[in-house]
C-alpha cells in the first residue's frame, strides 16, 4: 500500500510541483524502490542493522539536507527532520543490538507516511501560490546549478 501512496505523491509532485517538490518526489520514489530492492528476506528482516536500507536512508538524508538548505520553502525542513528520526533507528540498532525487531522496523518506517503527506501539502501550496500570484520562487538563492 505504501508504494501506491508514494507513487501517487511523487507523481503529483512531479506534475504540479516546482523544482524542490519535483526533486523531493523523485528522491523519495528512488529511495522507496531502492529500499524494497535492498531489504533482506523476511525471516531475518530487522534482526540486525539493515545496512542496505541504512545507506539509502543516509543518501536520502543528504539529498534532503541539500534541498532544505537551498529551497525557498519551509516544508523540506520538516521532511528532513522526520527522515532524520527514521534514519536514527539504524544508529539505535547499531548501538544497541538488543533493540526489538518490531521497534526497529517501526522507528525506521513510521515516518514515511507523514513525509509523503508533507510532500503533498507542500506541492498543493506551491500550486496554490502559482494560481494566486502567478509565480513561486523555487530556490532562496538562485544558483545556476539548481535552476
Amino acid at each position: 500500500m505504501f508504494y501506491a501512496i508514494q507513487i501517487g505523491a511523487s507523481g503529483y509532485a512531479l506534475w504540479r510541483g516546482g523544482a524542490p517538490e519535483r526533486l523531493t518526489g523523485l528522491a523519495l520514489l528512488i529511495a522507496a524502490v531502492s529500499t524494497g530492492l535492498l531489504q533482506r528476506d523476511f525471516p531475518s528482516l530487522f534482526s540486525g542493522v539493515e545496512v542496505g536500507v541504512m545507506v539509502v536512508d543516509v543518501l536520502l538524508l543528504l539529498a534532503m539536507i541539500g534541498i532544505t538548505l537551498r529551497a525557498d520553502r519551509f516544508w523540506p525542513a520538516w521532511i528532513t527532520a522526520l527522515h532524520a528520526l527514521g534514519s536514527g533507528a539504524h544508529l539505535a540498532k547499531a548501538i544497541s543490538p538488543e533493540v526489538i525487531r518490531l521497534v526497529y522496523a517501526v522507528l525506521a518506517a513510521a515516518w514515511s507516511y507523514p513525509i509523503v503527506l508533507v510532500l503533498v501539502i507542500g506541492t498543493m501550496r506551491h500550486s496554490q501560490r502559482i494560481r494566486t500570484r502567478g509565480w513561486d520562487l523555487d530556490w532562496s538563492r538562485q544558483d545556476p546549478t539548481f535552476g
Side-chain angles (χ1 to χ4, degrees):
M1 184 166 111
F2 174 75
Y3 289 107
I5 294 169
Q6 182 64 68
I7 289 168
S10 291
Y12 178 60
L14 290 167
W15 177 49
R16 301 293 287 175
E21 291 81 13
R22 290 192 309 268
L23 281 173
T24 301
L26 187 59
L28 291 174
L29 187 58
I30 290 169
V33 170
S34 298
T35 296
L37 294 173
L38 292 172
Q39 281 183 328
R40 292 190 268 173
D41 57 326
F42 189 74
S44 63
L45 195 61
F46 294 104
S47 59
V49 174
E50 291 290 325
V51 177
V53 177
M54 181 182 67
V55 169
V56 170
D57 282 347
V58 168
L59 291 173
L60 178 59
L61 184 59
L62 292 173
M64 287 310 308
I65 289 170
I67 292 168
T68 298
L69 291 174
R70 289 176 176 82
D72 192 45
R73 315 265 197 278
F74 188 71
W75 64 262
W78 283 97
I79 287 181
T80 302
L82 290 168
H83 185 64
L85 290 170
S87 298
H90 303 294
L91 181 62
K93 184 68 171 181
I95 290 171
S96 180
E98 300 81 32
V99 171
I100 300 168
R101 287 173 60 176
L102 179 61
V103 173
Y104 177 32
V106 169
L107 285 174
W111 307 105
S112 301
Y113 291 95
I115 285 171
V116 171
L117 179 62
V118 171
L119 173 62
V120 169
I121 292 169
T123 304
M124 289 171 56
R125 292 181 48 92
H126 165 75
S127 187
Q128 180 183 30
R129 285 189 297 273
I130 293 291
R131 279 194 311 275
T132 304
R133 296 190 294 204
W135 62 274
D136 192 22
L137 185 64
D138 285 337
W139 306 111
S140 294
R141 181 182 60 137
Q142 290 296 341
D143 185 336
T145 60
F146 283 90

